[in-house]
Amino acid sequence: MYTLYGIDESGSCMIEIALQRCAVPWRRIDASSWEDSEGSDALARINPLKQIPTLVTPDGQVLTESAAILIHLGLEFPASELLAGNRAQILRGLVYIAANCYSAVGIIDYPQRWLGNVDDAAQAQLISGTRRYLHQAWVVFAEQFADQLFAPGNVPNALGIMAAAVSRWDAAREALSNLAPGFAQTLARVDADPVVAPVFARHWPQ
């Protein structure tokens, strides 16, 4: 059985979707770096950074980094169609999100990690500038990858799942609705997928 460490409203949602697509047994242990719990203590023992999602495979291997986990599952379970489509561009897009979008979210959420002990004005300036960069990075993503989010069978592939999840943070969807409305509609198609929709609804209840 796979064991997923994560929590609601986090990147663990995309791995939950992927595991369902792989049709494998799995369980989730609630854990995060910002909450103290038995699960978080267990997470720290296998991932000292306490980053989520963290996935433990049935043979005990520890996998971190959302893009790497999605790639591993797609390779391990080809029938999941997680890597179906133009694989070179899917892999490129997954790394693009990790490097340009996910990383920016981390700066916005934790500016003190980068600035140390500075005043609130300096933190606010970093957050504002990073959010502008994040939204522009999503516009570039839309221009480069808009037609790469679905497998030939018209189900979201790993890139579609990751894009739909990470774009839910820091007003990225709102920015895309204004700056790249066609791509925003493509993300809405991912949201509506029958496997994706209930996971997102559980993570972000209305």
Side-chain angles (χ1 to χ4, degrees):
M1 177 180 289
Y2 286 86
T3 299
L4 174 64
Y5 291 84
I7 202 167
D8 287 348
E9 299 185 34
S10 78
S12 63
C13 66
M14 58 188 109
I15 309 306
E16 293 177 28
I17 293 165
L19 288 166
Q20 290 188 44
R21 288 276 295 278
C22 294
V24 294
W26 63 280
R27 61 173 181 150
R28 191 182 89 176
I29 296 178
D30 286 350
S32 71
S33 62
W34 57 88
E35 290 188 1
D36 293 328
S37 67
E38 290 185 9
S40 298
D41 292 342
L43 172 62
R45 289 192 288 272
I46 60 171
N47 182 354
L49 292 179
K50 296 177 69 174
Q51 292 174 329
I52 54 173
T54 291
L55 184 68
V56 181
T57 66
D59 62 357
Q61 293 191 71
V62 176
L63 300 177
T64 64
E65 318 312 321
S66 299
I69 296 170
L70 290 169
I71 292 167
H72 169 78
L73 291 173
L75 292 172
E76 195 77 4
F77 302 99
S80 69
E81 296 191 278
L82 289 171
L83 298 180
N86 185 332
R87 181 170 293 184
Q89 294 306 309
I90 293 168
L91 298 179
R92 175 187 170 218
L94 290 169
V95 175
Y96 179 100
I97 294 175
N100 295 287
C101 303
Y102 222 153
S103 61
V105 171
I107 295 171
I108 292 167
D109 287 348
Y110 302 103
Q112 67 277 9
R113 290 179 179 174
W114 316 98
L115 294 175
N117 295 321
V118 299
D119 59 29
D120 291 345
Q123 290 197 26
Q125 185 175 14
L126 177 62
I127 291 170
S128 177
T130 305
R131 186 172 285 117
R132 282 195 303 273
Y133 171 84
L134 171 64
H135 293 170
Q136 182 57 35
W138 275 118
V139 171
V140 173
F141 181 90
E143 294 168 349
Q144 297 286 314
F145 299 101
D147 59 350
Q148 302 293 338
L149 305 192
F150 286 85
N154 207 33
V155 295
N157 57 29
L159 185 58
I161 293 165
M162 190 170 188
V166 179
S167 64
R168 299 182 73 90
W169 299 317
D170 292 300
R173 290 291 186 97
E174 292 84 347
L176 286 168
S177 293
N178 292 323
L179 300 171
F183 182 66
Q185 292 176 2
T186 300
L187 291 174
R189 285 178 54 210
V190 177
D191 294 343
D193 176 81
V195 176
V196 174
V199 176
F200 280 0
R202 187 173 67 253
H203 276 256
W204 290 278
Q206 298 297 321

Coordinates of all heavy atoms in Angstrom, one line a residue, residues 110-124 126:
Y110 N 6.1 32.1 2.8 CA 7.1 32.1 3.8 C 8.2 33.1 3.5 O 9.3 32.8 3.4 CB 7.7 30.8 4.1 CG 6.7 29.7 4.4 CD1 6.2 28.8 3.5 CD2 6.2 29.6 5.7 CE1 5.3 27.8 3.8 CE2 5.2 28.7 6.0 CZ 4.8 27.8 5.1 OH 3.9 26.8 5.4
P111 N 7.9 34.4 3.4 CA 8.9 35.4 3.0 C 10.0 35.5 4.0 O 11.2 35.8 3.7 CB 8.1 36.7 2.9 CG 6.9 36.5 3.8 CD 6.6 35.1 3.6
Q112 N 9.7 35.2 5.3 CA 10.8 35.3 6.3 C 11.9 34.3 6.1 O 13.0 34.5 6.5 CB 10.2 35.1 7.7 CG 9.6 33.7 8.0 CD 8.2 33.4 7.4 OE1 7.7 34.3 6.7 NE2 7.6 32.3 7.8
R113 N 11.6 33.2 5.3 CA 12.7 32.2 5.0 C 13.8 32.9 4.2 O 15.0 32.5 4.2 CB 12.1 31.0 4.3 CG 11.2 30.1 5.1 CD 10.7 29.0 4.3 NE 9.9 28.1 5.1 CZ 9.2 27.0 4.6 NH1 9.3 26.8 3.2 NH2 8.5 26.3 5.3
W114 N 13.4 33.9 3.4 CA 14.4 34.5 2.4 C 14.9 35.8 3.0 O 16.0 36.2 2.5 CB 13.6 34.7 1.1 CG 12.8 33.5 0.7 CD1 11.5 33.3 0.9 CD2 13.3 32.3 0.2 NE1 11.1 32.1 0.5 CE2 12.2 31.4 0.0 CE3 14.5 31.8 -0.2 CZ2 12.3 30.1 -0.5 CZ3 14.6 30.5 -0.7 CH2 13.5 29.7 -0.9
L115 N 14.2 36.4 3.8 CA 14.6 37.8 4.3 C 15.1 37.8 5.7 O 15.8 38.8 6.1 CB 13.4 38.7 4.2 CG 12.8 39.0 2.8 CD1 11.6 39.9 2.8 CD2 13.9 39.7 1.9
G116 N 14.8 36.8 6.5 CA 15.2 36.9 7.9 C 14.4 37.9 8.6 O 13.2 38.1 8.4
N117 N 15.0 38.5 9.6 CA 14.3 39.5 10.5 C 14.3 40.9 9.8 O 15.3 41.7 10.0 CB 15.0 39.5 11.8 CG 14.9 38.2 12.6 OD1 13.8 37.6 12.5 ND2 16.0 37.8 13.3
V118 N 13.3 41.1 9.0 CA 13.1 42.5 8.4 C 11.8 43.0 8.8 O 10.9 42.2 9.3 CB 13.3 42.4 6.9 CG1 14.7 41.9 6.5 CG2 12.3 41.5 6.3
D119 N 11.5 44.2 8.5 CA 10.2 44.8 8.8 C 9.1 44.3 7.9 O 9.4 43.7 6.8 CB 10.3 46.3 8.8 CG 10.7 46.9 7.5 OD1 10.4 46.3 6.5 OD2 11.3 48.0 7.5
D120 N 7.9 44.6 8.3 CA 6.7 44.1 7.5 C 6.7 44.7 6.1 O 6.2 44.0 5.1 CB 5.4 44.5 8.2 CG 5.2 43.7 9.5 OD1 6.0 42.7 9.7 OD2 4.4 44.1 10.3
A121 N 7.2 45.9 5.9 CA 7.2 46.6 4.6 C 8.0 45.8 3.6 O 7.7 45.6 2.5 CB 7.6 48.0 4.7
A122 N 9.2 45.3 4.1 CA 10.1 44.6 3.2 C 9.5 43.2 2.8 O 9.5 42.8 1.7 CB 11.4 44.4 3.9
Q123 N 8.8 42.6 3.8 CA 8.1 41.3 3.5 C 7.0 41.6 2.5 O 6.8 40.8 1.5 CB 7.6 40.7 4.8 CG 8.7 40.2 5.7 CD 8.2 39.2 6.7 OE1 7.1 38.5 6.5 NE2 8.8 39.1 7.8
A124 N 6.2 42.6 2.7 CA 5.1 42.9 1.8 C 5.6 43.2 0.4 O 5.0 42.8 -0.6 CB 4.3 44.1 2.3
L126 N 8.4 41.9 -1.0 CA 8.8 40.7 -1.6 C 7.5 39.9 -2.1 O 7.5 39.3 -3.2 CB 9.6 39.9 -0.6 CG 10.0 38.5 -1.1 CD1 10.9 38.5 -2.3 CD2 10.7 37.7 0.0

